Amino acid sequence: MKTFIRKFFYGDYGEEKNTASEHNPSRQTINEWPLWEVFIRSKQGLDHKHVGSLHAADATMAMENARDVYTRRNEGISIWIVESKNIHANNPDDADALFDPANDKIYRHPSFYELPDELKHM
Amino acid sequence: MGINLEEQFQQKIDQEIKIEPKDWMPQKYRHTLIRQISQHAHSEVVGMLPEGNWISRAPSLKRKAILLAKIQDEAGHGLYLYSAAETLGISRDEMYEQLHSGKAKYSSIFNYPTLTWADMGAIGWLVDGAAILNQVPLCRTSYGPYARAMIRVCKEESFHQRQGFESLLVLSKGTEDQKRMCQEAINRWWWPCLMMFGPPDDQSPNTIQSMQWKIKRFSNDELRQKFVNMIAEQIKILGMTLPDPDLEWNEETMQYDFGKINWEELKQVIQGNGPCNKERMDARRKAWNDGEWVRDAANAYAAKHSKQL
């Protein structure tokens, strides 16, 4: 698999045609700070959830900016930041092949099994 | 292959399936969104300037803290929106360049001056009130990252409008001078706020396509009418008046009729001839140029540290 990726955008991690990174190869981004994705745990017991992205020169600055941009109103108690280029995603063109097999295995779902009504607690 | 990509795309839109960054989309959809989202982001950023004028002169510590929080929100809104636009393949620096060169527009309203403290209240109540009417339907816009950014924006915007109204309410119960200041601010901002919704529908060529793509869900005139209906009622609580002799409740349409908008003024402001266009752009360019050494230093520091690791 050949990958030629110049720059990464949130939600755009593949190498397909007509994605954001194919849109305009001549852009000037030489001095731009790298892009980071921000994940926030809103309260104890819940998963970290993607909330958006931001630019920062390094991880320390990304953490400070994430705090200022995404948690001004008690939105979180824990922040993860990941440089966008480190996120890999499936190609949406392959989504059918990738996710379809689950659909024909209906016996994986409890509703597949017909059981007598008098059976309780199951 | 029964149908082409463009038809598939429109089918998704019609079924209210959101479009995500990696999905195929018509080039014109991409470009329309880049233009709209980046202009929206620029408006948030330039929108900090008229209010920044009053941070150091707010009448109390409480009002100063509120104003600072509001302006910080606007910086945040600009950042959410720039990120959403970037998913479409334009870089942050390109967008800044378009703003600073004058190629990209921002909301005409921010080219008006903030002459008295009451303007802070009028901006919160009227300008943010108008913005909210535009923004709430955008939470359901067809492009996923834009819709998600708008949900965050709308959650925060309601405080902006409420603090504005409350601040005017205090003035409206104050001394004669304070009441006059309140009324004059409303007089100054009313017509420019009606212009914020954009040209009338029959002169807004992009509206039909944007509605078909569900980028927009209401036309300029629909939203403007909604705004007039809303404000004409709210102002009664302030005991103030709107500067429009033709404003009148219409029993037949069950809406407020209102006077003619000076579209020539909007045209002039958009073309760069508003009272503060030059001042705003100078302030933006100065901030960008003065910040260059900070950006470079941060890059150099990050590069040095990544080598040491």
Side-chain angles (χ1 to χ4, degrees):
Chain A
M1 189 176 70
K2 285 187 293 185
T3 54
F4 302 102
I5 300 176
R6 283 177 301 276
K7 184 166 171 10
F8 298 83
F9 298 94
Y10 153 56
D12 172 32
Y13 315 107
E15 43 277 340
E16 328 74 62
K17 295 285 177 205
N18 195 29
T19 58
S21 54
E22 293 286 338
H23 162 67
N24 180 1
S26 67
R27 73 169 61 82
Q28 294 175 313
T29 54
I30 304 142
N31 293 319
E32 211 174 77
W33 290 340
L35 192 67
W36 303 74
E37 301 303 323
V38 182
F39 300 81
I40 289 179
R41 184 200 295 283
S42 59
K43 65 176 197 182
Q44 208 74 16
L46 295 181
D47 294 328
H48 285 75
K49 192 177 163 216
H50 184 248
V51 293
S53 50
L54 51 78
H55 288 274
D58 58 26
T60 311
M61 188 194 277
M63 188 60 85
E64 286 166 2
N65 290 357
R67 184 235 166 250
D68 286 345
V69 178
Y70 291 105
T71 65
R72 288 195 300 283
R73 288 181 177 79
N74 309 321
E75 286 92 339
I77 52 155
S78 164
I79 301 173
W80 286 352
I81 45 157
V82 183
E83 201 175 335
S84 308
K85 71 176 180 190
N86 293 322
I87 294 185
H88 300 266
N90 70 286
N91 182 333
D93 294 344
D94 301 338
D96 281 352
L98 204 55
F99 301 116
D100 197 40
N103 285 339
D104 60 7
K105 295 183 177 61
I106 50 170
Y107 46 84
R108 285 182 168 163
H109 298 280
S111 54
F112 178 75
Y113 302 93
E114 271 190 39
L115 296 172
D117 287 347
E118 52 270 34
L119 185 70
K120 301 293 178 199
H121 305 297
M122 193 178 281
Chain B
M1 278 290 281
I3 54 171
N4 65 30
L5 286 169
E6 194 134 1
E7 285 164 344
Q8 276 180 33
F9 174 82
Q10 188 61 48
Q11 275 183 7
K12 274 166 91 175
I13 300 269
D14 293 343
Q15 292 166 34
E16 300 286 334
I17 297 172
K18 295 269 187 259
I19 307 301
E20 293 294 342
K22 291 199 295 181
D23 298 343
W24 186 91
M25 62 186 86
Q27 281 298 330
K28 190 155 175 269
Y29 177 84
R30 187 186 296 280
H31 290 138
T32 302
L33 277 170
I34 288 178
R35 196 188 65 237
Q36 180 172 333
I37 302 172
S38 64
Q39 288 185 4
H40 196 159
H42 298 328
S43 301
E44 296 283 353
V45 170
V46 177
M48 292 191 280
L49 298 172
E51 294 177 315
N53 186 31
W54 283 91
I55 293 174
S56 60
R57 291 178 284 156
S60 68
L61 188 57
K62 173 184 139 185
R63 293 290 169 194
K64 183 174 181 166
I66 292 171
L67 188 58
L68 276 170
K70 179 176 190 291
I71 294 172
Q72 195 190 12
D73 276 352
E74 274 145 17
H77 297 174
L79 292 173
Y80 307 153
L81 290 161
Y82 281 130
S83 294
E86 280 175 89
T87 65
L88 291 157
I90 186 166
S91 72
R92 186 75 59 99
D93 283 1
E94 269 179 297
M95 287 187 274
Y96 288 154
E97 206 278 320
Q98 289 178 353
L99 174 66
H100 299 152
S101 68
K103 190 185 164 213
K105 304 286 181 222
Y106 53 88
S107 179
S108 56
I109 196 80
F110 302 117
N111 291 314
Y112 289 88
T114 46
L115 302 179
T116 70
W117 168 253
D119 285 346
M120 295 301 96
I123 286 180
W125 175 41
L126 297 174
V127 176
D128 291 319
I132 288 171
L133 282 181
N134 255 316
Q135 288 168 349
V136 168
L138 286 174
C139 295
R140 295 186 296 124
T141 196
S142 58
Y143 187 58
Y146 191 22
R148 291 193 286 274
M150 289 316 302
I151 290 169
R152 306 187 70 83
V153 169
C154 285
K155 269 189 196 160
E156 299 178 352
E157 200 79 46
S158 136
F159 132 67
H160 297 183
Q161 191 189 19
R162 290 172 69 102
Q163 67 81 33
F165 190 87
E166 192 235 27
S167 155
L168 291 185
L169 194 60
V170 170
L171 290 178
S172 75
K173 292 174 177 164
T175 64
E176 284 309 309
D177 279 347
Q178 287 171 327
K179 286 180 192 168
R180 193 174 58 246
M181 193 163 85
C182 179
Q183 181 64 60
E184 284 172 0
I186 293 168
N187 294 350
R188 274 197 292 279
W189 291 93
W190 176 247
W191 291 105
C193 277
L194 292 188
M195 295 172 199
M196 265 178 84
F197 293 94
D201 291 350
D202 53 14
Q203 291 164 43
S204 179
N206 298 325
T207 294
I208 295 170
Q209 179 66 82
S210 284
M211 301 263 266
Q212 199 196 352
W213 280 334
K214 296 190 180 171
I215 296 174
K216 266 173 100 157
R217 295 201 176 241
F218 297 99
S219 75
N220 297 351
D221 286 336
E222 282 175 299
L223 291 170
R224 187 164 19 242
Q225 181 68 56
K226 240 178 164 173
F227 180 70
V228 172
N229 293 346
M230 190 175 94
I231 299 298
E233 288 298 321
Q234 290 176 351
I235 198 162
K236 293 175 184 169
I237 298 169
L238 290 177
M240 300 281 148
T241 55
L242 291 173
D244 180 357
D246 297 327
L247 186 82
E248 200 180 8
W249 178 251
N250 183 328
E251 275 295 338
E252 253 172 60
T253 58
M254 299 298 278
Q255 316 244 44
Y256 275 93
D257 292 336
F258 56 98
K260 208 171 161 341
I261 294 168
N262 180 358
W263 294 117
E264 182 55 28
E265 179 181 327
L266 177 65
K267 205 171 126 194
Q268 286 300 325
V269 176
I270 289 175
Q271 283 174 359
N273 304 320
C276 298
N277 293 59
K278 189 181 175 303
E279 193 184 326
R280 302 290 182 241
M281 290 317 298
D282 286 350
R284 277 310 310 155
R285 285 192 208 107
K286 183 176 186 305
W288 178 252
N289 293 334
D290 289 356
E292 188 175 8
W293 72 270
V294 180
R295 297 192 297 276
D296 290 347
N299 267 338
Y301 180 83
K304 192 174 152 192
H305 274 255
S306 66
K307 264 185 220 141
Q308 284 171 352
L309 287 175

